[in-house]
Amino acid sequence: MYNFEFERPTSVADAVKALGQEEAQPLAGGQTLIPTLKQRLAMPSKLVSLSGISEMKGITQEGRTLVVGAATVHADVAADGTIAALSDLAGNIGDPAVRNRGTIGGSVANNDPSACYPAAALGLGATIVTDRREIAADDFFTGMFETALDEGEIVTAVKFPQPEAAAYAKFEQPASRFALVGVFVARTGEGVRVAVTGASEGGVFRWREAETALASDFSAGALDGMAPEADDMISDLHGSAAYRAHLVGVMARRAVAAAR
Amino acid sequence: MPKDHGIGASSKRREDVRFLTGDGNYTDDINVHGQAYVHFLRSDVAHGRLTSVDTSEAGKMPGVVRIFTGADFEGVGGLPCGWCVTDRHGEPMQEPGHPVLAQGKVRHVGDPIAAVVADTPEQARDAAEAIIADIEEFPAVVDMKAALKEGAPKVHDDLSSNLCYDWGFVEENREAVDKAIQEAAHVTTLELVNQRLVANPMEPRVAIGEYSRARDEHTLYTTSQNPHVIRLLMGAFVLGIPEHKLRVVAPDVGGGFGSKIFHYAEEAFCTFAAKAVNRPVKWTSSRSEAFMTDAHGRDHVTKIELALDADNNFTALRTDTHANMGAYLSTFAPSVPTWLHGTLMAGNYRTPLIYVNVKAVFTNTVPVDAYRGAGRPEATYQLERVIDKAARELGVDPIALRRQNFVTEFPYATPVAVEYDTGDYNATMDKLEEIADLKGFAARRKESEARGRLRGLGVNCYIEACGIAPSNLVGQLGARAGLYESATVRVNATGGLVVMTGSHSHGQGHETSFAQVVADMIGIDENMVDIVHGDTANTPMGMGTYGSRSIAVGGSAMVRATEKIIAKAKKIAAHLLEASDADIELKDGAFTVAGTDKSVAWGDVTLAAYVPHNYPLEDIEPGLEETAFYDPANFTYPAGAYACEVELDPETGKVTVERFAAADDFGNIINPMIVDGQVHGGIGQGIGQALLESCAYDENGQLLSASYMDYAMPRADDVPFYSVDHSCSTPCTHNPLGVKGCGEAGAIGSPPAVVNAVIDAMQSGGHKVDHIDMPVSPSRVWTAMNG
Ligand SMILES: Cc1cc2nc3c(=O)[nH]c(=O)nc-3n(C[C@H](O)[C@H](O)[C@H](O)COP(=O)(O)OP(=O)(O)OC[C@H]3O[C@@H](n4cnc5c(N)ncnc54)[C@H](O)[C@@H]3O)c2cc1C
């Protein structure tokens, strides 16, 4: 990696201040950022570690909303269990080393098109809390590796409304074991949401036709024979666009069947 | 009763204590005082002309000691190829040069253009980024068939084409085979790909060059399976250093799987540069570099035709293979698709006529060479796949079809030049049917189907030629080396032994199993024997470890040397016991005069050898140390039968291996636990090849699977618990231990079993799919079933 300065503030305010420097970048669990640095694919002037900020860690319940601090590691979310689908999802990210370091904030901020958390955030209709505002998940994920975050803006927490029933069905890419296709289905008081990760060139997206079908009949059978258009799907070594589109249908049905 | 010591005992692997406690000494653990570090600037294009390499700015960067380019290696030898294949027309293969650093052209992504030696690794890398290399990019040659077309861009301008050789075997059989196929009652044809693989040993390659001006001596520490071979190849052919001025040390090595047999540019560079800058020079490969510089494996495209008569007897076999050599010839690359592949095409069967054609092709990709099994997995895969397809076409049981055609009488001379000394293929098949519980398959299939899954069963046989190899034979076939092995047995005064072997252990457990052999012969505790390997300074010249050769060839050398020790010790004992040599018996570590209770202990004899106060000095020398070289009379022929059961999710195409059984005939077994481990690891790699692994290039020669994000390695949950058995034993007839070798069997025997099982599963679901290429990924399965 290239040389960089390093700072480890203990409050969000100090972190934001530190990030004011040109080309400064937050470092959370480092599970994405450190490999990128080692390959010399990024050249930040300063890394601002978020690991010393206690107000960004931990999971709390506010009424029917689960608030997960952005610096909370996957292993802690996996162990929580309040929203079973969310904990299952976190427990199947990477391996124990990744889960004990990687954070929810890092995952949603990175918005990898194959990452799992974006599907949970979008599928549950979460709210992304930053140092300066709250952003609905629907507005947060703007494209592959792109989000609504401004330069220097930090995700501080993610708020998940408790669903009536939800599940995440992930089909692993054989090498990385990220999602080749992952579908998060949730039934809430406000309707049904179906969020798809891994499949689209545009990153995580909501599969509206499936939501409509499930709104009137929340059963796997309601999605029989359905699959999204393959046009915008990713095509790579591990699967064609048509295969991914097909898998979205399969994984959505499995998620509905597993929802509890 | 299983034995608890000596030959046949499952002694715990003594080397694991240091491996599991972090006490191993790997090459990267070695740091030589004053060492500098090298970083290689590597080509990021697959093919192009190097118009200029400007190092002027980079040379001024902090810490830079010196920057080398191809020009520094003009007049230095290129990396040699250890095997010359003669083509169908009696002409030698086309053999291009392989410079240490690129000269004139770059020929694959990863080809080294320049090397920066600096005080720290980071400084070397910083300076490498400041080098300006101008490359005039040319179209890349990636596809082998396209590479052979008229007008295709040439990888090597000085060669007449991209064809390395067009090999026919057995050429005299060509017409007879064509005729037999034309006249056959049935011909089954199959086109398949044996995909390119990356070996991926856990430890990446490392090299440290060191030079002493005062003594004019070079030392190379390297991650090698065969330090003596590296010393000879690099010393004699690249750098012109005689053996007595060059020491090569391969300490603990974290896996090789073939990829650490070969002599690599980085080894020659570090040795050369250490003298040039008068400082030790160290290189540690990153995993990314490993993907684009370690020799790859396999990469065959094959058409195979099997002819049968009206009674389903095999009458002829014809294969047509394109084998990828990559951009340069790696050390043993030409031998893999030819002598390690064509000679195994008879498999376990009596096919009277066989013709194998192999076209080896240069492309703008990483060189391809031996990878666990080397040629034999390619032979086994195509043969066992085509037999399975034939059984399906003919509507006969695939096991019955195999049994009907088995070789049953030994020795058996195949039509492809090798002679199997011994075997019993029906016995291993019987054993397989038992341990795989084939009778229970139908019930298990029903149970899977009740859960919406398809279940398939795949069975196959394999045979391999191991214990490589009789030197006079391989010499005739083009090898530029002998393939004997050596051992020096040194007995110390107080009775302990040190055995120095020319073979090398990089995970195989030699330190344990070799000690079992020697201890057993003398009748002493295994812990009295230490095995030393890996350093040319303290081991006799040997050819190293690959091709499942170490116990069969290296072990035999050890037996010969130990026999010499015992013969001499008996003379000493006879003197001490005032008896005649011929009357002395050695048992349980004591020498006895036959028929009496007069005896002397092993330790008393060894002490007498070194404190020869009462000693037959007029007849024999003091001391007890012997060396033997062993050159095998034939290959060994491990063989067996494997069965795989898979479950297939028809909705996603995902295949999981539910059961795997292996019945192997390895001849005599030294350490059953180590043999189990070798088979387990081999099957794991075979399942990896069958279901997961693929080294893919795009049409521009860019490596698509250049990291573990895209190159799928098998993990623990990709493999089931295995059921392995090696009780069917027909001991090798020509080596003293009756051993055959077991290192590669698992990787050779398992891919066809998996793919046969997948086809069976698909067929059971009504899908008329009769072939699918590896890796059998979910997307491929789904596409095949819905295409
Ligand atoms: C082997 C392996 C397997 C994996 N498997 C999966 C998987 O199956 N599914 C999956 O979803 N993910 C997977 N991941 C990714 C993992 O979940 C990462 O932890 C996650 O993507 C990034 O989180 P992090 O905390 O490590 O962030 P970092 O790597 O530290 O940062 C990632 C990016 O986000 C920025 N960032 C970090 N925190 C914040 C914040 N609070 N506010 C604003 N920006 C921030 C950083 O500047 C950086 O650009 C895997 C990773 C590895 C190494």
Side-chain angles (χ1 to χ4, degrees), chain A residues 1-2 38-40 171 173-178 236-240 242-243 246-247 250-251 253-254, chain B residues 122 125-126 129 288 453 649 651-652 654 692 696 704-705 708-712 715 717-718 778-779 782:
Chain A
M1 45 183 90
Y2 299 107
K38 283 170 96 172
Q39 291 190 294
R40 297 192 162 194
F171 191 81
Q173 193 257 51
S176 70
R177 296 200 174 178
F178 275 65
D236 62 14
L237 273 183
H238 307 287
S240 63
Y243 178 60
H246 161 78
L247 275 186
V250 175
M251 290 298 120
R253 283 189 286 280
R254 291 188 181 176
Chain B
E122 291 292 317
R125 191 168 177 185
D126 287 343
E129 282 178 10
S288 307
R453 299 287 194 268
D649 177 350
E651 276 192 316
T652 63
K654 187 169 167 66
L692 295 161
L704 296 175
S705 48
Y708 294 133
M709 291 299 280
D710 287 301
Y711 189 94
R715 304 180 210 199
D717 63 356
D718 288 313
S779 76
W782 182 79

Side-chain angles (χ1 to χ4, degrees), chain A residues 25-35 50 56 70 74 92-95 98 101-107 109-110 114-118 149 153-156 170 176-179:
Chain A
Q25 195 176 353
L27 172 71
Q31 296 302 295
T32 299
L33 187 50
I34 298 289
L50 307 178
M56 280 180 63
H74 308 330
N92 283 307
I93 292 177
D95 47 51
V98 171
R101 286 229 156 239
T103 67
I104 189 170
S107 182
N110 195 46
S114 304
C116 301
Y117 266 128
L149 289 174
E153 184 173 10
I154 311 177
V155 178
T156 56
K170 174 182 181 183
S176 70
R177 296 200 174 178
F178 275 65

Side-chain angles (χ1 to χ4, degrees), chain B residues 140-482:
Chain B
V141 188
V142 179
D143 179 77
M144 287 191 275
K145 288 180 183 161
L148 295 183
K149 290 230 170 81
E150 274 292 314
K154 282 200 288 183
V155 178
H156 295 277
D157 302 341
D158 53 335
L159 303 186
S160 64
S161 69
N162 291 319
L163 181 68
C164 177
Y165 55 73
D166 177 359
W167 185 74
F169 184 67
V170 173
E171 194 58 28
E172 294 72 50
N173 287 350
R174 188 185 178 97
E175 279 168 23
V177 170
D178 289 349
K179 186 159 170 282
I181 287 177
Q182 225 157 39
E183 292 169 355
H186 184 88
V187 179
T188 297
T189 304
L190 183 59
E191 292 185 38
L192 51 83
V193 175
N194 201 305
Q195 82 271 32
R196 181 182 283 242
L197 302 171
V198 182
N200 280 308
M202 203 180 289
E203 176 206 29
R205 290 188 296 118
V206 182
I208 308 168
E210 191 185 3
Y211 176 69
S212 159
R213 267 194 187 173
R215 288 176 277 124
D216 186 29
E217 278 175 11
H218 299 260
T219 303
L220 169 69
Y221 301 92
T222 183
T223 46
S224 175
Q225 303 179 209
N226 30 240
H228 285 282
V229 174
I230 302 306
R231 183 176 68 163
L232 184 61
L233 289 177
M234 185 178 79
F237 297 96
V238 188
L239 300 177
I241 307 169
E243 287 95 320
H244 66 288
K245 292 292 179 192
L246 174 60
R247 173 183 170 206
V248 177
V249 184
D252 285 333
V253 172
F257 312 113
S259 71
K260 292 174 182 167
I261 298 171
F262 321 121
H263 176 41
Y264 287 98
E266 294 85 0
E267 296 171 320
F269 178 83
C270 289
T271 308
F272 177 88
K275 181 172 181 181
V277 305
N278 197 30
R279 263 176 87 172
V281 174
K282 180 171 190 172
W283 172 71
T284 301
S285 171
S286 67
R287 186 58 70 180
S288 307
E289 266 181 308
F291 271 100
M292 57 184 173
T293 67
D294 289 4
H296 292 167
R298 315 251 152 82
D299 205 344
H300 284 197
V301 176
T302 293
K303 178 181 175 188
I304 179 168
E305 295 156 285
L306 174 66
L308 302 93
D309 68 16
D311 299 321
N312 297 342
N313 298 310
F314 301 165
T315 57
L317 188 71
R318 182 167 62 194
T319 76
D320 177 356
T321 288
H322 286 71
N324 208 332
M325 294 287 103
Y328 302 98
L329 288 178
S330 176
T331 312
F332 290 111
S335 68
V336 175
T338 51
W339 299 110
L340 293 175
H341 164 248
T343 50
L344 271 301
M345 280 318 308
N348 311 56
Y349 313 101
R350 283 170 316 196
T351 310
L353 285 166
I354 298 177
Y355 181 72
V356 177
N357 181 242
V358 178
K359 294 178 187 72
V361 186
F362 293 112
T363 60
N364 293 115
T365 60
V366 169
V368 181
D369 206 325
Y371 167 67
R372 199 170 193 171
R376 293 149 291 170
E378 294 88 316
T380 304
Y381 181 66
Q382 53 184 292
L383 182 60
E384 295 294 328
R385 284 286 304 120
V386 82
I387 293 173
D388 232 56
K389 186 171 181 221
R392 201 171 294 284
E393 287 174 356
L394 295 165
V396 298
D397 175 59
I399 296 180
L401 180 62
R402 286 179 169 88
R403 284 188 186 269
Q404 175 185 342
N405 286 282
F406 273 163
V407 172
T408 51
E409 277 164 37
F410 297 88
Y412 174 76
T414 70
V416 276
V418 291
E419 183 174 290
Y420 304 159
D421 60 337
T422 178
D424 186 346
Y425 308 144
N426 276 307
T428 41
M429 186 58 90
D430 291 345
K431 180 53 80 177
L432 180 78
E433 294 199 23
E434 174 199 325
I435 62 172
D437 181 29
L438 296 192
K439 285 203 189 81
F441 174 71
R444 292 192 292 275
R445 170 175 274 174
K446 259 213 189 86
E447 192 272 329
S448 295
E449 285 171 353
R451 286 183 287 106
R453 299 287 194 268
L454 300 173
R455 196 174 186 106
L457 168 68
V459 171
N460 66 273
C461 300
Y462 78 91
I463 183 159
E464 51 174 333
C466 295
I468 292 174
S471 294
N472 53 7
L473 174 64
V474 295
Q476 288 165 30
L477 305 182
R480 291 165 170 164

